[in-house]
Amino acid sequence: YLEKENNHLNNYDNWYFSKLQENTDKIFIPYIDYDKSKVSNFYPDFIFWLKKGDDYTIKFIDPKGLEQGTYNLKDKLEGFEKIFNNKNLSNDKYNFNVELYLYNKSRKNNEFIDKYVEFNLNEIF
């Protein structure tokens, strides 16, 4: 994707990429696992840190989200929404946006889950 001339990462002033390691990193999205009746942590596999002007975007991307089953995926997505949706993440100088994508070519015919599923990198970036 990076070698393509028209990749959308070229639209940003700066960008960085991180691969999360569940056993060592402390970046996660907490959620309530209703099946286990406890708070758990969702570790999306990748994070992209993007900057354009005074706008900063953090994109969590998890390619395994649908492959490992959806038994608690809805719980994870609800945790993400409780933390990041409908929140003003801006201050006097900067604007912040946080997004989550399940990078996968298949859909699960679940409207709540499918709104996070994307397989076109140009749509993600």
Side-chain angles (χ1 to χ4, degrees):
Y1 181 77
L2 293 175
E3 293 176 356
K4 293 181 179 181
E5 185 176 318
N6 64 343
N7 83 66
H8 286 195
L9 287 170
N10 289 330
N11 296 333
Y12 296 95
D13 299 334
N14 292 311
W15 63 270
Y16 299 94
F17 160 82
S18 300
K19 166 79 171 100
L20 289 178
Q21 298 296 324
E22 184 174 337
N23 298 330
T24 57
D25 290 323
K26 294 182 182 178
I27 298 175
F28 55 84
I29 300 168
Y31 69 96
I32 298 172
D33 186 331
Y34 290 103
D35 287 341
K36 296 179 182 176
S37 298
K38 70 174 198 167
V39 175
S40 295
N41 297 324
F42 173 31
Y43 293 88
D45 286 344
F46 305 103
I47 302 176
F48 282 82
W49 314 82
L50 309 161
K51 178 188 182 297
K52 182 158 182 87
D54 290 337
D55 297 327
Y56 293 82
T57 303
I58 298 171
K59 294 184 185 262
F60 292 102
I61 301 175
D62 190 25
K64 302 181 318 249
L66 294 176
E67 294 173 9
Q68 294 184 348
T70 58
Y71 74 96
N72 70 347
L73 181 57
K74 188 171 185 263
D75 297 343
K76 293 175 181 179
L77 298 176
E78 285 177 353
F80 173 82
E81 287 188 354
K82 286 179 183 175
I83 294 170
F84 296 110
N85 279 10
N86 301 317
K87 304 287 192 298
N88 181 0
L89 301 175
S90 300
N91 62 28
D92 292 340
K93 190 171 181 181
Y94 304 108
N95 302 308
F96 299 93
N97 185 42
V98 180
E99 301 171 4
L100 171 64
Y101 294 93
L102 305 172
Y103 182 77
N104 201 294
K105 290 186 179 184
S106 63
R107 304 267 183 197
K108 293 295 182 188
N109 295 321
N110 179 310
E111 188 176 321
F112 181 73
I113 293 172
D114 286 350
K115 68 183 176 183
Y116 290 96
V117 178
E118 185 56 66
F119 69 92
N120 182 339
L121 291 175
N122 280 336
E123 293 296 321
I124 293 175
F125 298 109

